[in-house]
Amino acid sequence: MEGIAIMTSGGDAAGMNPAIKCAVDYARSKGLKPFLVYDGLRGLIDGKIVEAKREDVSGIMYRGGTVLRSSRSKRFFEYKYREQAYKHLQERNINKLIVIGGDGSFRALNDLYNDFKIPFAGIPATIDNDIAGTDYCLGVDTAMNVIREAVDSIRDTANSFNRGFVIETMGRHCGYLAMASALTSGAEICLVPEIEYDLDSIQERLRVEIEEGRNFLIAIVAEGCNMGDYLTRWINETLNMDARLTVLGHIQRGGSPTVRDRLMAYKFAVNAVDSLLDGGTNDIMVYKGGSFGGIPIHDVAGKKPKMDQTMLDLCTPLSR
Amino acid sequence: MEGIAIMTSGGDAAGMNPAIKCAVDYARSKGLKPFLVYDGLRGLIDGKIVEAKREDVSGIMYRGGTVLRSSRSKRFFEYKYREQAYKHLQERNINKLIVIGGDGSFRALNDLYNDFKIPFAGIPATIDNDIAGTDYCLGVDTAMNVIREAVDSIRDTANSFNRGFVIETMGRHCGYLAMASALTSGAEICLVPEIEYDLDSIQERLRVEIEEGRNFLIAIVAEGCNMGDYLTRWINETLNMDARLTVLGHIQRGGSPTVRDRLMAYKFAVNAVDSLLDGGTNDIMVYKGGSFGGIPIHDVAGKKPKMDQTMLDLCTPLSR
Amino acid sequence: MEGIAIMTSGGDAAGMNPAIKCAVDYARSKGLKPFLVYDGLRGLIDGKIVEAKREDVSGIMYRGGTVLRSSRSKRFFEYKYREQAYKHLQERNINKLIVIGGDGSFRALNDLYNDFKIPFAGIPATIDNDIAGTDYCLGVDTAMNVIREAVDSIRDTANSFNRGFVIETMGRHCGYLAMASALTSGAEICLVPEIEYDLDSIQERLRVEIEEGRNFLIAIVAEGCNMGDYLTRWINETLNMDARLTVLGHIQRGGSPTVRDRLMAYKFAVNAVDSLLDGGTNDIMVYKGGSFGGIPIHDVAGKKPKMDQTMLDLCTPLSR
Amino acid sequence: MEGIAIMTSGGDAAGMNPAIKCAVDYARSKGLKPFLVYDGLRGLIDGKIVEAKREDVSGIMYRGGTVLRSSRSKRFFEYKYREQAYKHLQERNINKLIVIGGDGSFRALNDLYNDFKIPFAGIPATIDNDIAGTDYCLGVDTAMNVIREAVDSIRDTANSFNRGFVIETMGRHCGYLAMASALTSGAEICLVPEIEYDLDSIQERLRVEIEEGRNFLIAIVAEGCNMGDYLTRWINETLNMDARLTVLGHIQRGGSPTVRDRLMAYKFAVNAVDSLLDGGTNDIMVYKGGSFGGIPIHDVAGKKPKMDQTMLDLCTPLSR
């Protein structure tokens, strides 16, 4: 029986576990023999590759992170280590790979493909939602809901105390999490790398509201702006409102995957297996315009993702 | 200034409050004067219509249900009561309406439009996800996540106790909630009105698994099947496994709206206001193929919704 | 090294897993060799007893139910099966037992003690909070918080819809869960077996409130009253308010244990190990008047628990 | 009718709203006329004191923070402002006060009592759990459960990524939150001001575990230790494990109050009203040894709280 290996790589994101489970189950239902690669690229090199048993993936659907663990690996850039990985796969009769992760992981697997013609399918998973070609990456919905609960909770304190709160979200250079959170939490200020902000204009807008009775405010700042500390001081000094900064940090990556992340994981995984069975060699699964499909890695890797224009339009007033 | 009234009608669903808030804010930003109709159609007849103040919609984003309350009204079927409603609107210079609710509510407002040419825009909101023409209705994501937490929690007990659990979800004649929940919770059985099920085949499948060590099982049943009690007895008697029924009931309607329901609410509301400003008279806002738009009420009202084919395909093995 | 075995028995409750983990860790730190009994009394008879490895209890702290699984067993009432259990223990050099469960489980272990002088310590765990001699049983806090979220969520719907909701909680013949939930959710009616209720008086009280504007109500009913259906009809007919019944069911048993259940589990487990090391033979661990201790099983088994008087006083107005 | 005023003061904590609601309801049931003071001491000086209407406290039970808002006030240290506050109370025939807050707030009200003989009762509320004489302060249970969810979620990432996580909890100079969280989350390291820690010893302990296969670790640090940054670097450098710091911040103060915080609020509030009716003049309500009572403010204000010895014993191994 032909083997297919499933692995996770790069930063962890909720939704990886459901994707693993679905890929294993669906691959088996299609007559393939599923294997699990532990510890990401490092495990691929070191041969931590075992046949998937039912109990390995039972009950993982509702756990955050990845039971396969992840890692970063410099060795994989060297041919000899990729060759070693290839041999581990060959020994087990594995000639298909599914990698759940981000841009960098896709490129690593593509190097392996170029060297040894091991076809792979990529499933986008990163809470940053910054992979080109897809509207959605696994982990984003769970991260947004973790942020929502944090902001809803901080709002209680802000309101109780006549205070400003600056909340910094993850997302590296991408402002998606910050924008979605600002809109859905009714924040008064939102600063993201994609929108030019104007503090003078914000000051003018909020000065009026404060005169009319506003007694607290919430600002959401993307980490890519690096404005958390500055904005907190600015609110204190310019708006004359006691302000505090909360950096949400790693709680955003974890938590039990939401239904959306589980459903998307299911569909990404089915598409990835089907893509490989249909002869796909190095495609990345994407969700675009409401439907799923695969696109060549060259349209993804190193490309700049396009931000949802409606979101930009709706958020712009919060940056002015 | 031209008035626009916002109301909720029919069964309540999470996401109604964010839609109210966004409609009010966005309408105001477009130069309209927003009004709130309390108590649904009944309030429209009785003139419970007040101008929206900032504090009426402040902080409602994160509350379940609808602060405008809802109701059903037989009187609205009579011309004289619709005329009364029309007069209340006219007195306040309101000539646009946004109604957040289901199929029946849209038809009621269409009667008002036919009589008095008050244009309206409908925003689909029902946890049943059974409105034709749209892939998504407000409240569905929140309901699915409430079910998820319930099922994840019951699974702990099922596993601890070598037991079968039958969980009945809402959804009237639509199996969407049950299917999505079965897939994302890794259920072993799923019965919905849309798929012909085969208990003999299920028995055969599970008998094998039980022999191989399966010690518990989860079955998700849509209320439209009316199979909760029967299936529970069937598991007891046929599979010889102690089984219990849990009818999830009204907890599925409530809870703080998820980010997805807030984001969808935002976009539905913006589209509804824009549709009316663009001269729309009786359109229903829909989310289809990944984008938003309005379609004539005749393509919605009384039409049968089409179920996602992938979902049907993925769920079919759970009915056999 | 002397062995100590840990088992769970009876109905499952959140807090069992933390108690298992703490008992294993603490026993080991005291120089004992911990064993795990799987499948409760049945497993004791059938010898499903294995030495506890670190990975068996790693990460179980935050999972509901019991990883050791539980069961009920009629065989244990027969001497020959207890003898069989005894032999399994003897073979492994186990001469101490910790059983996490309820009254019936304690009595079963006491029979074993009477026959073969295997000392045991009992840790009370049941969401019913109905074990005599202790103010607290593991699982109660988690169950109450599950109920809280359900009621808070249903309240949104009740309020949106001018409706009455009757919510039936677990607890068998004990009204603790219902009383605590009624008080902490601001319910208008509470019916429990411990308080004589007066529907006429309730009708009079609520009639006045409804005239003054009350538009919804929440009633919490203990399952031991068997009044769910009746009260729902009564609200419909007598108060003329549309009413619905929600039976919370098994979601109350599950969920990740709250901090209180984890802390109590920790302290119960430490006390149980210490009790056995101090020569205790058949004591039940209790939390009473703010401190922990062990009391002889004869003061627990078959005794009627005493309900917190303040709670009764505070709840009585909700039954009149 | 005699008036009683209820206010919140100092840092906010979950449980304040339930305490407000219960104090209002219970005071009314005892024939008193309840008033609400908005904005804490500042509102007392400025006369923001209004009679409590039913709708003011309806539905607040399940909201975090305090609907009465809070503040700090330097003016209250001056006699003339206290005199002004006194006059506001006198005008409204208010001669009893309930203050929900911390040590500093109790002392402020005691100054008012010394000057004008306005009796008051204090209800301890602070997530720091650092008020002398009471085992419990409102807000602690909710804060602990917020931390629990954060840590459980971060553990997923830690485990997925072979990483160390240092999590800093609130609590000022008190390590209660950190200790309870470390125990109940199964952390490997816990640093609090109350326990002398030994990094060399920790290093030795973990080095062995890492050799045996430990691939991640969780450290909980009380903010009072000011060790977050240092420990993170230390793990990186000394244990050679990639480590990250998460400062939980203000999410710990908020969130819907847990059942325990609601129940404790209920009982504290009943006791406060009863204490004033029984002639208490400046007592602080405490929960000690499992029961409620009032103690003179001199046994509370400025006194050092005593930490639970069992907790210290259980946590000590995590500091070595």
PDB file of all heavy atoms in Angstrom, chain C residues 257-284:
ATOM      1  N   PRO C 257     -11.831  20.943  34.412  1.00  0.00           N
ATOM      2  CA  PRO C 257     -12.067  21.302  35.818  1.00  0.00           C
ATOM      3  C   PRO C 257     -11.692  22.753  36.120  1.00  0.00           C
ATOM      4  O   PRO C 257     -10.664  23.247  35.644  1.00  0.00           O
ATOM      5  CB  PRO C 257     -11.141  20.350  36.589  1.00  0.00           C
ATOM      6  CG  PRO C 257     -10.773  19.266  35.644  1.00  0.00           C
ATOM      7  CD  PRO C 257     -10.909  19.816  34.264  1.00  0.00           C
ATOM      8  N   THR C 258     -12.514  23.427  36.884  1.00  0.00           N
ATOM      9  CA  THR C 258     -12.194  24.787  37.327  1.00  0.00           C
ATOM     10  C   THR C 258     -11.017  24.757  38.298  1.00  0.00           C
ATOM     11  O   THR C 258     -10.641  23.704  38.801  1.00  0.00           O
ATOM     12  CB  THR C 258     -13.392  25.398  38.077  1.00  0.00           C
ATOM     13  OG1 THR C 258     -13.703  24.555  39.194  1.00  0.00           O
ATOM     14  CG2 THR C 258     -14.605  25.522  37.182  1.00  0.00           C
ATOM     15  N   VAL C 259     -10.493  25.936  38.571  1.00  0.00           N
ATOM     16  CA  VAL C 259      -9.376  26.024  39.504  1.00  0.00           C
ATOM     17  C   VAL C 259      -9.778  25.485  40.878  1.00  0.00           C
ATOM     18  O   VAL C 259      -9.010  24.764  41.521  1.00  0.00           O
ATOM     19  CB  VAL C 259      -8.895  27.476  39.644  1.00  0.00           C
ATOM     20  CG1 VAL C 259      -7.865  27.597  40.763  1.00  0.00           C
ATOM     21  CG2 VAL C 259      -8.274  27.942  38.326  1.00  0.00           C
ATOM     22  N   ARG C 260     -10.990  25.809  41.313  1.00  0.00           N
ATOM     23  CA  ARG C 260     -11.413  25.324  42.626  1.00  0.00           C
ATOM     24  C   ARG C 260     -11.421  23.800  42.669  1.00  0.00           C
ATOM     25  O   ARG C 260     -10.929  23.205  43.626  1.00  0.00           O
ATOM     26  CB  ARG C 260     -12.799  25.864  42.964  1.00  0.00           C
ATOM     27  CG  ARG C 260     -13.259  25.495  44.373  1.00  0.00           C
ATOM     28  CD  ARG C 260     -14.380  26.415  44.829  1.00  0.00           C
ATOM     29  NE  ARG C 260     -15.091  25.912  45.979  1.00  0.00           N
ATOM     30  CZ  ARG C 260     -14.639  25.928  47.228  1.00  0.00           C
ATOM     31  NH1 ARG C 260     -13.439  26.425  47.469  1.00  0.00           N
ATOM     32  NH2 ARG C 260     -15.357  25.464  48.225  1.00  0.00           N
ATOM     33  N   ASP C 261     -11.939  23.169  41.620  1.00  0.00           N
ATOM     34  CA  ASP C 261     -11.944  21.707  41.616  1.00  0.00           C
ATOM     35  C   ASP C 261     -10.527  21.147  41.566  1.00  0.00           C
ATOM     36  O   ASP C 261     -10.252  20.085  42.122  1.00  0.00           O
ATOM     37  CB  ASP C 261     -12.803  21.173  40.451  1.00  0.00           C
ATOM     38  CG  ASP C 261     -14.246  20.926  40.890  1.00  0.00           C
ATOM     39  OD1 ASP C 261     -14.447  20.517  42.047  1.00  0.00           O
ATOM     40  OD2 ASP C 261     -15.167  21.142  40.092  1.00  0.00           O
ATOM     41  N   ARG C 262      -9.619  21.863  40.919  1.00  0.00           N
ATOM     42  CA  ARG C 262      -8.238  21.376  40.882  1.00  0.00           C
ATOM     43  C   ARG C 262      -7.564  21.549  42.250  1.00  0.00           C
ATOM     44  O   ARG C 262      -6.856  20.663  42.713  1.00  0.00           O
ATOM     45  CB  ARG C 262      -7.443  22.137  39.814  1.00  0.00           C
ATOM     46  CG  ARG C 262      -7.971  21.926  38.411  1.00  0.00           C
ATOM     47  CD  ARG C 262      -7.079  22.602  37.393  1.00  0.00           C
ATOM     48  NE  ARG C 262      -7.767  22.791  36.117  1.00  0.00           N
ATOM     49  CZ  ARG C 262      -7.186  23.213  35.003  1.00  0.00           C
ATOM     50  NH1 ARG C 262      -5.895  23.507  35.004  1.00  0.00           N
ATOM     51  NH2 ARG C 262      -7.875  23.368  33.898  1.00  0.00           N
ATOM     52  N   LEU C 263      -7.801  22.694  42.876  1.00  0.00           N
ATOM     53  CA  LEU C 263      -7.197  22.950  44.185  1.00  0.00           C
ATOM     54  C   LEU C 263      -7.737  21.977  45.227  1.00  0.00           C
ATOM     55  O   LEU C 263      -6.986  21.428  46.037  1.00  0.00           O
ATOM     56  CB  LEU C 263      -7.488  24.373  44.649  1.00  0.00           C
ATOM     57  CG  LEU C 263      -6.535  25.474  44.216  1.00  0.00           C
ATOM     58  CD1 LEU C 263      -6.998  26.812  44.786  1.00  0.00           C
ATOM     59  CD2 LEU C 263      -5.104  25.173  44.704  1.00  0.00           C
ATOM     60  N   MET C 264      -9.060  21.778  45.215  1.00  0.00           N
ATOM     61  CA  MET C 264      -9.660  20.854  46.167  1.00  0.00           C
ATOM     62  C   MET C 264      -9.145  19.441  45.907  1.00  0.00           C
ATOM     63  O   MET C 264      -8.869  18.691  46.843  1.00  0.00           O
ATOM     64  CB  MET C 264     -11.183  20.882  46.054  1.00  0.00           C
ATOM     65  CG  MET C 264     -11.828  22.217  46.381  1.00  0.00           C
ATOM     66  SD  MET C 264     -11.480  22.867  48.046  1.00  0.00           S
ATOM     67  CE  MET C 264     -12.742  22.026  49.008  1.00  0.00           C
ATOM     68  N   ALA C 265      -9.004  19.087  44.641  1.00  0.00           N
ATOM     69  CA  ALA C 265      -8.487  17.766  44.288  1.00  0.00           C
ATOM     70  C   ALA C 265      -7.090  17.581  44.872  1.00  0.00           C
ATOM     71  O   ALA C 265      -6.761  16.532  45.435  1.00  0.00           O
ATOM     72  CB  ALA C 265      -8.443  17.601  42.769  1.00  0.00           C
ATOM     73  N   TYR C 266      -6.288  18.635  44.743  1.00  0.00           N
ATOM     74  CA  TYR C 266      -4.921  18.592  45.251  1.00  0.00           C
ATOM     75  C   TYR C 266      -4.929  18.315  46.745  1.00  0.00           C
ATOM     76  O   TYR C 266      -4.248  17.424  47.257  1.00  0.00           O
ATOM     77  CB  TYR C 266      -4.250  19.952  44.994  1.00  0.00           C
ATOM     78  CG  TYR C 266      -2.821  19.818  44.522  1.00  0.00           C
ATOM     79  CD1 TYR C 266      -2.460  20.240  43.249  1.00  0.00           C
ATOM     80  CD2 TYR C 266      -1.848  19.275  45.348  1.00  0.00           C
ATOM     81  CE1 TYR C 266      -1.155  20.120  42.802  1.00  0.00           C
ATOM     82  CE2 TYR C 266      -0.534  19.162  44.909  1.00  0.00           C
ATOM     83  CZ  TYR C 266      -0.194  19.576  43.643  1.00  0.00           C
ATOM     84  OH  TYR C 266       1.099  19.453  43.201  1.00  0.00           O
ATOM     85  N   LYS C 267      -5.764  19.078  47.442  1.00  0.00           N
ATOM     86  CA  LYS C 267      -5.745  18.957  48.904  1.00  0.00           C
ATOM     87  C   LYS C 267      -6.379  17.645  49.368  1.00  0.00           C
ATOM     88  O   LYS C 267      -5.899  17.019  50.312  1.00  0.00           O
ATOM     89  CB  LYS C 267      -6.418  20.181  49.517  1.00  0.00           C
ATOM     90  CG  LYS C 267      -5.602  21.448  49.220  1.00  0.00           C
ATOM     91  CD  LYS C 267      -6.120  22.674  49.948  1.00  0.00           C
ATOM     92  CE  LYS C 267      -5.166  23.868  49.710  1.00  0.00           C
ATOM     93  NZ  LYS C 267      -5.685  25.103  50.350  1.00  0.00           N
ATOM     94  N   PHE C 268      -7.439  17.226  48.703  1.00  0.00           N
ATOM     95  CA  PHE C 268      -8.030  15.929  49.048  1.00  0.00           C
ATOM     96  C   PHE C 268      -6.994  14.809  48.847  1.00  0.00           C
ATOM     97  O   PHE C 268      -6.857  13.903  49.668  1.00  0.00           O
ATOM     98  CB  PHE C 268      -9.265  15.634  48.172  1.00  0.00           C
ATOM     99  CG  PHE C 268     -10.557  16.175  48.703  1.00  0.00           C
ATOM    100  CD1 PHE C 268     -11.387  16.966  47.913  1.00  0.00           C
ATOM    101  CD2 PHE C 268     -10.992  15.883  50.000  1.00  0.00           C
ATOM    102  CE1 PHE C 268     -12.608  17.464  48.384  1.00  0.00           C
ATOM    103  CE2 PHE C 268     -12.214  16.367  50.484  1.00  0.00           C
ATOM    104  CZ  PHE C 268     -13.017  17.155  49.678  1.00  0.00           C
ATOM    105  N   ALA C 269      -6.263  14.884  47.732  1.00  0.00           N
ATOM    106  CA  ALA C 269      -5.322  13.816  47.399  1.00  0.00           C
ATOM    107  C   ALA C 269      -4.180  13.767  48.411  1.00  0.00           C
ATOM    108  O   ALA C 269      -3.791  12.683  48.874  1.00  0.00           O
ATOM    109  CB  ALA C 269      -4.786  14.008  45.983  1.00  0.00           C
ATOM    110  N   VAL C 270      -3.651  14.929  48.768  1.00  0.00           N
ATOM    111  CA  VAL C 270      -2.582  14.978  49.764  1.00  0.00           C
ATOM    112  C   VAL C 270      -3.081  14.393  51.087  1.00  0.00           C
ATOM    113  O   VAL C 270      -2.405  13.585  51.733  1.00  0.00           O
ATOM    114  CB  VAL C 270      -2.099  16.437  49.959  1.00  0.00           C
ATOM    115  CG1 VAL C 270      -1.286  16.581  51.230  1.00  0.00           C
ATOM    116  CG2 VAL C 270      -1.300  16.886  48.739  1.00  0.00           C
ATOM    117  N   ASN C 271      -4.305  14.766  51.477  1.00  0.00           N
ATOM    118  CA  ASN C 271      -4.865  14.253  52.721  1.00  0.00           C
ATOM    119  C   ASN C 271      -5.089  12.753  52.679  1.00  0.00           C
ATOM    120  O   ASN C 271      -4.907  12.066  53.687  1.00  0.00           O
ATOM    121  CB  ASN C 271      -6.185  14.960  53.027  1.00  0.00           C
ATOM    122  CG  ASN C 271      -5.960  16.207  53.851  1.00  0.00           C
ATOM    123  OD1 ASN C 271      -5.969  16.135  55.077  1.00  0.00           O
ATOM    124  ND2 ASN C 271      -5.704  17.335  53.205  1.00  0.00           N
ATOM    125  N   ALA C 272      -5.486  12.251  51.521  1.00  0.00           N
ATOM    126  CA  ALA C 272      -5.751  10.818  51.412  1.00  0.00           C
ATOM    127  C   ALA C 272      -4.453  10.021  51.577  1.00  0.00           C
ATOM    128  O   ALA C 272      -4.403   9.030  52.319  1.00  0.00           O
ATOM    129  CB  ALA C 272      -6.415  10.508  50.071  1.00  0.00           C
ATOM    130  N   VAL C 273      -3.392  10.465  50.905  1.00  0.00           N
ATOM    131  CA  VAL C 273      -2.109   9.768  51.035  1.00  0.00           C
ATOM    132  C   VAL C 273      -1.606   9.853  52.474  1.00  0.00           C
ATOM    133  O   VAL C 273      -1.202   8.845  53.075  1.00  0.00           O
ATOM    134  CB  VAL C 273      -1.066  10.362  50.057  1.00  0.00           C
ATOM    135  CG1 VAL C 273       0.313   9.766  50.306  1.00  0.00           C
ATOM    136  CG2 VAL C 273      -1.498  10.135  48.608  1.00  0.00           C
ATOM    137  N   ASP C 274      -1.664  11.069  53.041  1.00  0.00           N
ATOM    138  CA  ASP C 274      -1.204  11.241  54.427  1.00  0.00           C
ATOM    139  C   ASP C 274      -2.010  10.372  55.391  1.00  0.00           C
ATOM    140  O   ASP C 274      -1.457   9.782  56.322  1.00  0.00           O
ATOM    141  CB  ASP C 274      -1.310  12.716  54.850  1.00  0.00           C
ATOM    142  CG  ASP C 274      -0.183  13.561  54.264  1.00  0.00           C
ATOM    143  OD1 ASP C 274       0.831  12.975  53.807  1.00  0.00           O
ATOM    144  OD2 ASP C 274      -0.301  14.803  54.254  1.00  0.00           O
ATOM    145  N   SER C 275      -3.320  10.295  55.177  1.00  0.00           N
ATOM    146  CA  SER C 275      -4.175   9.498  56.046  1.00  0.00           C
ATOM    147  C   SER C 275      -3.718   8.039  56.046  1.00  0.00           C
ATOM    148  O   SER C 275      -3.596   7.405  57.102  1.00  0.00           O
ATOM    149  CB  SER C 275      -5.632   9.610  55.585  1.00  0.00           C
ATOM    150  OG  SER C 275      -6.405   8.535  56.061  1.00  0.00           O
ATOM    151  N   LEU C 276      -3.436   7.509  54.862  1.00  0.00           N
ATOM    152  CA  LEU C 276      -3.000   6.115  54.772  1.00  0.00           C
ATOM    153  C   LEU C 276      -1.625   5.918  55.400  1.00  0.00           C
ATOM    154  O   LEU C 276      -1.379   4.912  56.079  1.00  0.00           O
ATOM    155  CB  LEU C 276      -2.999   5.667  53.303  1.00  0.00           C
ATOM    156  CG  LEU C 276      -4.400   5.500  52.694  1.00  0.00           C
ATOM    157  CD1 LEU C 276      -4.325   5.379  51.180  1.00  0.00           C
ATOM    158  CD2 LEU C 276      -5.102   4.270  53.280  1.00  0.00           C
ATOM    159  N   LEU C 277      -0.747   6.896  55.199  1.00  0.00           N
ATOM    160  CA  LEU C 277       0.587   6.788  55.803  1.00  0.00           C
ATOM    161  C   LEU C 277       0.523   6.879  57.330  1.00  0.00           C
ATOM    162  O   LEU C 277       1.349   6.303  58.032  1.00  0.00           O
ATOM    163  CB  LEU C 277       1.511   7.889  55.250  1.00  0.00           C
ATOM    164  CG  LEU C 277       1.960   7.693  53.793  1.00  0.00           C
ATOM    165  CD1 LEU C 277       2.726   8.909  53.301  1.00  0.00           C
ATOM    166  CD2 LEU C 277       2.826   6.431  53.664  1.00  0.00           C
ATOM    167  N   ASP C 278      -0.479   7.604  57.822  1.00  0.00           N
ATOM    168  CA  ASP C 278      -0.649   7.747  59.269  1.00  0.00           C
ATOM    169  C   ASP C 278      -1.411   6.568  59.870  1.00  0.00           C
ATOM    170  O   ASP C 278      -1.807   6.624  61.041  1.00  0.00           O
ATOM    171  CB  ASP C 278      -1.412   9.037  59.593  1.00  0.00           C
ATOM    172  CG  ASP C 278      -0.601  10.275  59.264  1.00  0.00           C
ATOM    173  OD1 ASP C 278       0.604  10.129  58.966  1.00  0.00           O
ATOM    174  OD2 ASP C 278      -1.162  11.393  59.312  1.00  0.00           O
ATOM    175  N   GLY C 279      -1.693   5.567  59.063  1.00  0.00           N
ATOM    176  CA  GLY C 279      -2.350   4.383  59.618  1.00  0.00           C
ATOM    177  C   GLY C 279      -3.856   4.354  59.468  1.00  0.00           C
ATOM    178  O   GLY C 279      -4.522   3.480  60.021  1.00  0.00           O
ATOM    179  N   GLY C 280      -4.417   5.317  58.740  1.00  0.00           N
ATOM    180  CA  GLY C 280      -5.865   5.296  58.490  1.00  0.00           C
ATOM    181  C   GLY C 280      -6.233   4.023  57.750  1.00  0.00           C
ATOM    182  O   GLY C 280      -5.462   3.549  56.902  1.00  0.00           O
ATOM    183  N   THR C 281      -7.370   3.453  58.045  1.00  0.00           N
ATOM    184  CA  THR C 281      -7.713   2.176  57.413  1.00  0.00           C
ATOM    185  C   THR C 281      -8.922   2.285  56.483  1.00  0.00           C
ATOM    186  O   THR C 281      -8.962   1.662  55.433  1.00  0.00           O
ATOM    187  CB  THR C 281      -8.039   1.122  58.481  1.00  0.00           C
ATOM    188  OG1 THR C 281      -9.048   1.672  59.355  1.00  0.00           O
ATOM    189  CG2 THR C 281      -6.803   0.773  59.277  1.00  0.00           C
ATOM    190  N   ASN C 282      -9.899   3.058  56.876  1.00  0.00           N
ATOM    191  CA  ASN C 282     -11.074   3.184  56.007  1.00  0.00           C
ATOM    192  C   ASN C 282     -11.753   4.538  56.237  1.00  0.00           C
ATOM    193  O   ASN C 282     -12.932   4.612  56.540  1.00  0.00           O
ATOM    194  CB  ASN C 282     -12.044   2.009  56.204  1.00  0.00           C
ATOM    195  CG  ASN C 282     -12.425   1.819  57.668  1.00  0.00           C
ATOM    196  OD1 ASN C 282     -11.884   2.493  58.547  1.00  0.00           O
ATOM    197  ND2 ASN C 282     -13.371   0.918  57.910  1.00  0.00           N
ATOM    198  N   ASP C 283     -10.961   5.588  56.085  1.00  0.00           N
ATOM    199  CA  ASP C 283     -11.477   6.940  56.309  1.00  0.00           C
ATOM    200  C   ASP C 283     -11.860   7.623  54.994  1.00  0.00           C
ATOM    201  O   ASP C 283     -11.290   7.341  53.941  1.00  0.00           O
ATOM    202  CB  ASP C 283     -10.421   7.809  57.010  1.00  0.00           C
ATOM    203  CG  ASP C 283     -10.322   7.469  58.488  1.00  0.00           C
ATOM    204  OD1 ASP C 283     -11.145   6.667  58.970  1.00  0.00           O
ATOM    205  OD2 ASP C 283      -9.410   8.000  59.150  1.00  0.00           O
ATOM    206  N   ILE C 284     -12.822   8.521  55.116  1.00  0.00           N
ATOM    207  CA  ILE C 284     -13.230   9.329  53.972  1.00  0.00           C
ATOM    208  C   ILE C 284     -12.716  10.745  54.210  1.00  0.00           C
ATOM    209  O   ILE C 284     -12.881  11.293  55.293  1.00  0.00           O
ATOM    210  CB  ILE C 284     -14.772   9.349  53.846  1.00  0.00           C
ATOM    211  CG1 ILE C 284     -15.336   7.918  53.842  1.00  0.00           C
ATOM    212  CG2 ILE C 284     -15.204  10.123  52.599  1.00  0.00           C
ATOM    213  CD1 ILE C 284     -14.755   7.008  52.776  1.00  0.00           C
TER     214      ILE C 284
END
